[in-house]
Amino acid sequence: MAEAGKKIAVVTGAGTGVGRAASLALINAGFTVVLVGRRLDMLQETQKLGGDASKSLCVPADMTDPASIAALFAKVTDTYGRLDLLFNNAGMGAPPVNFEDLPLAQWQAVVNTNLTGPFLCTQHAFRIMKDQTPRGGRIINNGSISAHAPRPFSAAYTATKHAITGLTKASNLDGRMYDIAVGQIDIGNAATPMTDRMVDGVLQPDGRKMPEPRMDAKAVGDAVAYMANLPLDANVLFMTVMASKMPFVGRG
């Protein structure tokens, strides 16, 4: 069981990229972090980077499998007895193909990972947070710049990130009576394996292919830690953290 005053966090997609950066920032901020992802070796690498192994727990889980998600939260309850923070971070995109050529199976895979997974995780977090003492907790959803403006050939990813915004608003409202604060961080061009392709150039709306600036993923991790450490009577409902010079604000 958790020590008195110890804050317990669950981070999905913790084995790489933003999930790893957020996990390390939360560990540094005093959380005990449950590192969740499909690949145990990557979770163990994050744990190693976090220093003291007692400050984290590796739990392999599949965000497209409801039983796997249920087992994850049962493990959290059995091990620590409470949950203070959930960072719904795990996500995926679809291959950049013409809209009409996107296979239904690929669409469904993105929806299952990016939307249904966070929905199920949030349900489990609600059940734990509303019944624990002290009551309440915080949930942070990983949105995206795509929650505001899409890239070409990104229908599945963009649709799910718009949907995450709806999930954030609805669950924030429904969690209010239980002292559960829900917020969203929208991220643009963090330097992770997912954005390596931007170095050589990515397709722009006008048809050109151009390199795009990126930022250190640590900036995102630090932002998540800031949101996580707020008292429950305060909440960041939406935050955008982006590479300063990426093409987002403006025209052309």
Side-chain angles (χ1 to χ4, degrees):
M1 301 292 283
E3 301 173 15
K6 180 68 72 175
K7 296 176 291 185
I8 307 302
V10 168
V11 176
T12 67
T16 187
V18 165
R20 173 173 286 179
S23 297
L24 297 178
L26 290 168
I27 290 170
N28 289 335
F31 283 82
T32 296
V33 181
V34 181
L35 306 169
V36 182
R38 291 175 297 175
R39 294 180 52 186
L40 178 59
D41 60 328
M42 299 299 289
L43 300 178
Q44 290 172 332
E45 181 63 26
T46 300
Q47 184 176 55
K48 186 183 301 183
L49 292 169
D52 184 354
S54 68
K55 296 181 180 179
S56 60
L57 174 68
C58 299
V59 181
D62 182 353
M63 290 297 103
T64 67
D65 181 353
S68 182
I69 293 172
L72 159 66
F73 286 92
K75 178 73 171 178
V76 172
T77 302
D78 291 344
T79 305
Y80 299 110
R82 67 176 292 107
L83 175 64
D84 299 283
L85 174 71
L86 166 64
F87 181 31
N88 279 317
N89 167 71
M92 64 175 292
V97 299
N98 289 332
F99 181 89
E100 66 273 20
D101 295 328
L102 181 66
L104 176 59
Q106 190 67 61
W107 166 273
Q108 291 174 327
V110 176
V111 171
N112 288 341
T113 302
N114 293 6
L115 181 58
T116 305
F119 163 72
L120 293 172
C121 288
T122 298
Q123 281 193 319
H124 285 285
F126 261 54
R127 295 182 186 113
I128 297 170
M129 291 174 174
K130 67 185 289 188
D131 291 334
Q132 64 192 8
T133 305
R135 188 178 71 171
R138 189 178 305 277
I139 299 168
I140 301 173
N141 293 323
N142 185 341
S144 172
I145 291 292
S146 291
H148 307 276
R151 289 188 178 278
F153 307 132
S154 66
Y157 185 80
T158 296
T160 56
K161 292 306 182 179
H162 275 72
I164 283 293
T165 299
L167 180 65
T168 297
K169 292 178 179 179
S171 57
N172 180 69
L173 178 60
D174 292 345
R176 186 182 296 173
M177 69 182 75
Y178 306 116
D179 301 312
I180 299 172
V182 184
Q184 179 171 321
I185 184 166
D186 295 328
I187 303 163
N189 289 19
T192 69
M194 184 179 289
T195 63
D196 283 345
R197 61 194 174 90
M198 294 179 180
V199 175
D200 295 326
V202 288
L203 185 65
Q204 304 297 309
D206 64 2
R208 290 179 296 168
K209 191 174 182 181
M210 297 177 58
E212 290 189 13
R214 300 191 299 167
M215 62 176 174
D216 191 332
K218 182 179 182 299
V220 180
D222 291 343
V224 171
Y226 163 72
M227 296 170 72
N229 268 319
L230 288 172
L232 288 179
D233 62 357
N235 186 39
V236 174
L237 184 60
F238 294 103
M239 177 190 288
T240 301
V241 182
M242 55 181 277
S244 299
K245 297 182 179 182
M246 68 172 288
F248 173 56
V249 177
R251 301 185 182 190

